[in-house]
């Protein structure tokens, strides 16, 4: 992990406001931002651990634990809430009991008028997702795994 961090630090060493790009790169490389990375980032950027942790936890995008084999983002922003995303998220939480597929909230996927919206593995977007449609998509995902 340290080699990965050092390569990322070297890439951003002279960049103003490097904290977010560094966090993005770490998550891209490792799948999440491990707790052990926080003091290393703080040291590199001459910030306190609390400052790094504060930014890390402020943005829902950053994971602090390894992702599942598949990640399903369920939009929880207002327009999707108005179209039933809360019920969909509750359904997804009960449906995704296996460790291979994890659900994470996201705040707008750009499909606001045709929500509730989800995104699978940061690739494919799906609109007007009902619990039944969600189950069908998860079955397809499990078959492909
Ligand atoms: S509010 Fe859900 S896609 Fe925009």
């Amino acid at each position: 992990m340290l080699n990965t961090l050092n390569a990322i630090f070297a890439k951003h060493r002279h960049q103003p406001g490097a904290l977010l790009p560094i966090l993005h790169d770490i998550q891209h490389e490792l799948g999440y931002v491990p707790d052990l990375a926080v003091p290393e980032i703080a040291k590199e950027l001459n910030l306190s651990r609390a400052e790094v942790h504060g930014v890390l936890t402020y943005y829902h995008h950053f994971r602090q634990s390894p992702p599942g084999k598949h990640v399903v983002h369920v939009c929880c922003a207002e327009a999707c809430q108005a179209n039933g995303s809360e019920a969909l998220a509750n359904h997804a939480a009960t449906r995704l009991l296996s460790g291979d597929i994890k659900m994470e909230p996201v705040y707008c996927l750009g499909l606001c008028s045709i929500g509730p919206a989800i995104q699978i593995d940061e690739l494919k977007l799906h609109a007007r997702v009902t619990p039944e449609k969600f189950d069908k998509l998860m079955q397809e995902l499990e078959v492909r795994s």
Side-chain angles (χ1 to χ4, degrees):
M1 181 185 82
L2 213 47
N3 287 343
T4 301
L5 293 181
N6 285 332
I8 291 169
F9 294 159
K11 179 179 164 190
H12 297 287
R13 186 147 288 140
H14 302 292
Q15 181 180 1
L19 179 53
L20 283 174
I22 285 173
L23 291 172
H24 280 287
D25 280 4
I26 292 171
Q27 181 155 301
H28 180 75
E29 289 296 321
L30 304 176
Y32 71 114
V33 182
D35 287 342
L36 292 174
V38 171
E40 299 299 325
I41 298 167
K43 189 167 72 179
E44 173 67 23
L45 298 178
N46 198 24
L47 298 170
S48 71
R49 292 178 187 194
E51 287 172 307
V52 175
H53 186 262
V55 172
L56 177 60
T57 55
Y58 178 79
Y59 293 100
H60 295 280
H61 172 75
F62 296 120
R63 293 184 202 100
Q64 294 180 267
S65 58
K69 188 173 177 183
H70 298 286
V71 177
V72 177
H73 285 109
V74 177
C75 180
C76 297
E78 285 181 19
C80 281
Q81 277 185 27
N83 286 318
S85 70
E86 192 173 328
L88 178 63
N90 289 337
H91 174 78
T94 59
R95 172 71 173 75
L96 300 176
L97 296 176
S98 105
D100 284 351
I101 305 174
K102 283 192 177 175
M103 181 188 71
E104 295 179 356
V106 68
Y107 294 89
C108 199
L109 292 166
L111 300 173
C112 313
S113 63
I114 49 175
I118 70 169
Q119 186 178 33
I120 299 174
D121 292 337
E122 298 192 15
L123 297 171
K124 184 117 170 84
L125 293 166
H126 300 273
R128 295 192 173 103
V129 180
T130 61
E132 295 75 26
K133 183 174 179 178
F134 183 86
D135 288 347
K136 188 171 178 228
L137 290 168
M138 292 306 103
Q139 284 170 357
E140 291 169 6
L141 193 60
E142 287 164 352
V143 167
R144 278 190 277 135
S145 296

